[in-house]
């Protein structure tokens, strides 16, 4: 069986966007499925991680075509602007920034990669007619890639799976965009059309599945995962200090104010705690977070802008506590940051900030891997930190997580292979 995977993010891209399908491609051959990747040529990825080339299977066929991105024309104006993880400008942009944000939100629907759709459809129609491909897969964001799948489905009747690594209109920043009512309606119309036409849609969590089942019954959950072995106690020396480590982008929506407030109170109450505490932030930190940290004036803060993915595991395994921060947005209950699964693999206690009745909370409860505290519950946060700190002082800070093998990338690829074969044989 051969499948064509259409993805914007591919090696040498770094960050979270590439991980899901790089790992699926890595293991698909183990289940008698040959992947072919179609991606952009010379994309301007914000993060480069050459170490990920090691995960690409030998002799993998990779098709590429150039992409024109309108952002290139605006680069002269954007140099001084701060952007969100999705490329939109952060809160409080300049006047020019606001104009750019309005134009991008309302004239590039569903996103600024829309101009890759038409040439890609033309190229792939020719390729599919000349090559025996059993199914195509589109993965977004950018959700414009689903329009490639939609058009190929309509014109050629190919078997098509649409993979949503993040929601479309329920994505964390959607409500912040300066969208007109007409633009909002267009987004919803395209999203629903993709869901209706796709043979199967994949999502990463139960909340997404529930929301999308209004438009399609063929929705399957395949979470993200981790890709290392599970024996993590060999040659691991934990941080000497009581380290609370966050790995990944910490944007304004993820600023864990409840944690900073709880830590400040604990520092004021206990001098020894102040001396023991270390806050480690590995990844890009938004200006809003920087300002919060300045206000609270913590004594020991370590910041590392970015480390290659292969080095992330070491930071995860040596930290005393791993911090997860969910975006404080209307769609927070459905957010499952991909970092949770690598945190599970590290087998260190997880302290999360987010809805106590959301998808992330359910994973933490089922795996017995940590605790989650609501965005504004300082009292509960202090209690959880004290429990962790007391165990740290006794030299007994550990976690006995359960049932995490289901999140290994190879196990998840096996689940994908079953769905793929069902689609192709239906």
């Amino acid at each position: 069986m051969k499948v064509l995977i259409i993805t914007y993010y591919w090696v040498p891209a770094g960050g979270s966007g590439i991980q899901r399908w790089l790992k699926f491609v890595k293991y698909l051959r183990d289940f008698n499925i040959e992947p072919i990747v179609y991606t952009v040529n010379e994309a301007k990825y914000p993060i480069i991680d050459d170490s990920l080339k090691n995960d690409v299977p030998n002799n993998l066929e990779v098709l590429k075509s150039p992409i024109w991105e309108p952002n290139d024309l605006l680069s002269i104006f954007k140099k001084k602007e701060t952007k969100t993880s999705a490329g939109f400008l952060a809160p409080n942009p300049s006047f020019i920034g606001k104009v750019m944000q309005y134009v991008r939100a309302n004239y590039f629907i569903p996103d600024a990669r829309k101009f890759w759709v038409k040439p890609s459809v033309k190229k792939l129609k020719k390729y599919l007619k000349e090559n025996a491909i059993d199914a195509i897969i589109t993965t977004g964001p950018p959700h414009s890639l689903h329009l490639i799948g939609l058009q190929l489905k309509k014109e050629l009747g190919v078997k098509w799976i649409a993979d949503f690594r993040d929601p479309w209109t329920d994505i964390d920043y959607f409500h912040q965009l300066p969208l007109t009512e007409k633009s909002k309606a267009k987004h919803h119309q395209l999203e629903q059309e993709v869901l209706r036409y796709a043979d199967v849609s994949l999502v990463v969590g139960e909340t997404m599945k529930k929301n999308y089942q209004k438009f399609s019954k063929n929705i399957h959950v395949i979470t993200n995962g981790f890709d290392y072995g599970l024996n993590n106690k060999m040659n691991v020396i934990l941080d000497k200090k009581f380290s609370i480590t966050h790995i990944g982008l910490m944007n304004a929506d993820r600023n864990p104010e409840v944690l900073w407030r709880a830590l400040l109170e604990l520092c004021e109450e206990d001098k020894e705690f102040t001396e023991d505490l270390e806050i480690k932030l590995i990844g890009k930190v938004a200006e809003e977070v920087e300002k919060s940290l300045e206000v609270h004036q913590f004594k020991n803060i370590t910041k590392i802008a970015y480390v290659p993915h292969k080095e992330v595991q070491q930071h995860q395994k040596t930290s005393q506590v791993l911090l997860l921060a969910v975006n404080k947005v209307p769609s927070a209950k459905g957010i499952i940051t991909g970092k949770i699964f690598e945190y599970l693999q590290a087998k260190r206690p997880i302290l999360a900030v987010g809805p106590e009745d959301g998808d992330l909370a359910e994973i933490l409860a089922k795996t017995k891997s940590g605790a989650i505290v609501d965005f504004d519950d300082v009292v509960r946060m202090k209690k959880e930190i004290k429990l962790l700190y007391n165990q740290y002082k006794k030299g007994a800070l550990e976690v006995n997580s359960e049932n995490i093998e289901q999140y290994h990338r190879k196990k998840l690829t096996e689940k994908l292979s079953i769905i793929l074969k069902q689609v192709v044989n239906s």
Side-chain angles (χ1 to χ4, degrees):
M1 179 185 296
K2 289 187 177 181
V3 296
L4 177 65
I5 297 157
I6 303 169
T7 176
Y8 177 81
Y9 295 101
W10 192 249
V11 172
S16 60
I18 187 177
Q19 292 295 324
R20 182 172 172 86
W21 281 95
L22 176 63
K23 302 303 184 179
F24 281 146
V25 167
K26 177 180 178 180
Y27 290 114
L28 275 172
R29 287 176 178 171
D30 291 343
F31 304 100
N32 299 315
I33 297 173
E34 180 64 28
I36 298 101
V37 172
Y38 174 70
T39 189
V40 296
N41 188 34
E42 297 183 356
K44 295 179 180 177
Y45 298 124
I47 299 174
I48 300 296
D49 189 344
D50 287 321
S51 70
L52 296 180
K53 293 178 181 178
N54 297 326
D55 283 328
V56 179
N58 292 330
N59 303 315
L60 176 72
E61 183 178 359
V62 179
L63 311 173
K64 292 185 177 183
S65 66
I67 183 172
W68 179 77
E69 302 192 49
N71 292 338
D72 295 343
L73 297 177
L74 303 174
S75 60
I76 188 172
F77 300 110
K78 296 198 300 181
K79 289 180 180 178
K80 295 184 179 181
E81 300 287 352
T82 302
K83 293 183 291 183
T84 67
S85 58
F88 287 97
L89 298 175
N92 303 315
S94 66
F95 172 75
I96 292 176
K98 289 178 181 178
V99 173
M100 289 164 50
Q101 197 172 46
Y102 179 87
V103 169
R104 180 169 179 180
N106 293 285
Y107 290 90
F108 303 133
I109 297 175
D111 50 64
R113 278 86 189 209
K114 62 176 289 186
F115 299 100
W116 199 51
V117 175
K118 188 174 181 179
S120 293
V121 169
K122 181 179 180 180
K123 179 170 182 171
L124 293 179
K125 279 173 64 178
K126 184 175 185 295
Y127 180 85
L128 291 169
K129 288 176 181 178
E130 296 174 352
N131 296 271
I133 301 296
D134 296 287
I136 64 170
I137 299 169
T138 56
T139 178
H143 293 303
S144 55
L145 271 64
H146 294 313
L147 303 187
I148 299 173
L150 178 64
Q151 199 62 33
L152 292 173
K153 178 68 176 179
K154 287 181 176 181
E155 295 190 30
L156 302 180
V158 294
K159 300 288 186 179
W160 170 38
I161 293 176
D163 174 62
F164 292 85
R165 302 191 316 275
D166 285 307
W168 188 324
T169 55
D170 278 337
I171 201 165
D172 51 21
Y173 57 81
F174 190 81
H175 71 289
Q176 299 173 345
L177 302 179
L179 291 164
T180 64
E181 291 304 313
K182 182 179 179 180
S183 295
K184 290 179 184 177
K186 183 64 175 179
H187 273 287
H188 285 285
Q189 177 257 316
L190 289 173
E191 179 181 36
Q192 292 169 28
E193 190 173 10
V194 166
L195 289 165
R196 288 197 305 270
Y197 272 87
D199 293 277
V200 161
S201 292
L202 304 178
V203 295
V204 297
E206 292 295 333
T207 296
M208 284 180 66
K209 178 180 179 179
K210 182 179 179 181
N211 291 340
Y212 279 169
Q213 280 181 324
K214 293 178 288 188
F215 312 109
S216 170
K217 298 302 179 185
N218 297 318
I219 311 291
H220 294 265
V221 175
I222 300 184
T223 66
N224 289 310
F226 60 85
D227 192 35
Y228 306 112
L230 295 174
N231 186 358
N232 299 293
K233 294 187 177 181
M234 297 176 61
N235 303 319
V236 174
I237 300 175
L238 294 175
D239 295 338
K240 291 184 178 180
K241 287 189 173 292
F242 181 60
S243 55
I244 299 177
T245 303
H246 181 274
I247 298 175
L249 173 69
M250 184 176 280
N251 57 24
D253 287 338
R254 290 180 186 167
N255 188 11
E257 282 287 355
V258 64
L259 174 67
W260 308 145
R261 289 167 58 193
L263 289 175
L264 181 62
E265 290 184 17
L266 288 169
C267 287
E268 291 173 344
E269 296 167 6
D270 187 340
K271 184 178 179 181
E272 189 174 10
F273 178 86
T274 304
E275 296 297 323
D276 287 334
L277 176 66
E278 181 182 17
I279 299 169
K280 297 171 71 174
L281 304 177
I282 301 173
K284 189 174 181 180
V285 176
E287 183 180 348
E288 291 79 3
V289 180
E290 296 277 11
K291 289 179 179 179
S292 290
L293 294 172
E294 288 176 9
V295 169
H296 293 92
Q297 296 183 332
F298 295 113
K299 185 175 181 180
N300 295 310
I301 301 178
T302 300
K303 299 174 187 175
I304 304 175
Y306 180 75
V307 296
H309 191 257
K310 64 181 180 180
E311 296 179 24
V312 167
Q313 184 188 23
Q314 192 65 23
H315 287 286
Q316 292 168 345
K317 292 195 296 183
T318 58
S319 292
Q320 296 290 348
V321 179
L322 293 171
L323 170 65
L324 269 178
V326 170
N327 304 62
K328 192 176 183 181
V329 293
S331 58
K333 287 185 179 181
I335 294 177
I336 309 175
T337 172
K339 197 58 61 182
I340 174 62
F341 303 105
E342 294 190 0
Y343 278 13
L344 290 176
Q345 179 271 340
K347 291 190 175 180
R348 296 304 303 154
I350 297 171
L351 179 61
V353 178
E356 295 178 357
D357 58 348
D359 290 354
L360 177 59
E362 185 176 354
I363 291 173
L364 290 173
K366 285 184 176 180
T367 57
K368 298 181 180 179
S369 54
I372 188 164
V373 179
D374 198 76
F375 296 110
D376 301 308
D377 195 343
V378 177
V379 173
R380 168 95 190 283
M381 179 60 78
K382 286 180 66 177
K383 179 181 176 182
E384 293 296 340
I385 295 172
K386 282 183 179 179
L387 287 172
L388 294 167
Y389 180 64
N390 289 337
Q391 289 177 307
Y392 158 80
K393 294 299 286 184
K394 295 175 183 177
L397 182 52
E398 57 184 28
V399 63
N400 296 312
S401 51
E402 301 176 354
N403 304 315
I404 68 173
E405 293 84 357
Q406 62 184 303
Y407 299 116
H408 193 281
R409 293 286 188 179
K410 186 171 183 178
K411 192 71 176 177
L412 295 167
T413 306
E414 181 180 17
K415 186 174 181 180
L416 170 65
S417 71
I418 293 171
I419 294 171
L420 263 169
K421 291 170 183 177
Q422 289 174 342
V423 169
V424 170
N425 296 324
S426 63

